[in-house]
Structure formats: C-alpha cells, structure tokens
Amino acid sequence: MRALIDRYIDAYNRMDVDAMLNTMHSEVIFENYTAGVLSVRTVGAPELRHLAESSRGLFSARRQTITHYSEAEGVARTQIHFQGTFAVDLPNGIRAGQSIALDGRSEYRERNGLLIYIADYSD
C-alpha cells in the first residue's frame, strides 16, 4: 500500500487531480477531522474530484511529507508534515502569500489495489 500512497501524495503535491483520482477506487470515502471533529466528508470519486478541484486554488504551493509510516491489518497510518502557501485572501484574515505548516496524521485503506478510504486528522 505504501507505493500507492506515495503516488497519491506525489499527485497531491503537484495539484494533479486526475493523477490523485487514478489512485482511488470509484467508491472512495474521504474524511477530514479538525480537533477531533469531522469537518469534511465525501463519498465517491465524483464528490472527491469536486472537493479537490475547488480547493486546489487555495494554495499557490503545498507539500505533504510522510514522517512516519506503519501498516497493520489492512490499514496504513502515516504521520505527515504539511506546508503550504496561500494563493488567496481568506475571510478569517489569512492573506495570499502567507504560509502555513502543521503536523497531522492520515489513515488509508485499499480495495482492489486502489485507495477506498482516506482520513486526514489535524489539531
């Protein structure tokens, strides 16, 4: 599963939505948790495509780096470091050109050689 996750993250870092989706099952579920609260959930590749395409314009550059990887019982878990530079001004006061860095974790599952579940967690 590590090679599949590496392909997904590489595509994510390049903001290549088609390549990201090429690593995913058509029934993929994506969840994002912030401070333990589910903030985003998509079901199916079309919903995830919409989310990815609508959010890629937020950053002029972004990079996820895996800092730790483990896999057990069909579940891969990663610790990640995220760095990004905002491309637009946001309503919360963040301005274009501002950078962000944070650490988080992700969980992955696969079906038929493709990612079927991705969950991102940050505080």
Side-chain angles (χ1 to χ4, degrees):
M1 195 175 341
R2 175 65 192 254
L4 182 61
I5 293 167
D6 286 342
R7 281 182 33 225
Y8 161 70
I9 289 177
D10 177 63
Y12 174 89
N13 289 342
R14 292 183 288 112
M15 298 187 209
D16 185 340
V17 174
D18 288 332
M20 286 170 52
L21 290 171
N22 284 339
T23 66
M24 296 180 198
H25 193 280
S26 63
E27 298 173 6
V28 64
I29 294 171
F30 170 79
E31 297 176 334
N32 183 279
Y33 294 86
T34 304
V37 177
L38 178 65
S39 58
V40 175
R41 185 172 200 265
T42 65
V43 178
E47 284 186 19
L48 186 53
R49 173 182 291 280
H50 181 265
L51 175 66
E53 288 177 346
S54 64
S55 62
R56 77 174 155 186
L58 290 175
F59 293 96
S60 58
R62 66 182 184 194
R63 179 159 195 78
Q64 270 192 48
T65 305
I66 294 175
T67 59
H68 183 266
Y69 178 89
S70 65
E71 190 175 327
E73 299 178 11
V75 179
R77 291 180 176 85
T78 61
Q79 296 291 322
I80 63 109
H81 180 71
F82 174 85
Q83 292 177 277
T85 303
F86 288 96
V88 296
D89 294 341
L90 299 179
N92 66 0
I94 292 175
R95 297 286 174 232
Q98 251 183 289
S99 295
I100 185 174
L102 59 90
D103 294 311
R105 62 186 176 89
S106 297
E107 183 177 297
Y108 304 88
R109 294 184 183 110
E110 73 174 311
R111 180 187 298 163
N112 301 328
L114 296 169
L115 296 171
I116 188 70
Y117 179 78
I118 304 169
D120 292 338
Y121 300 86
S122 61
D123 291 328

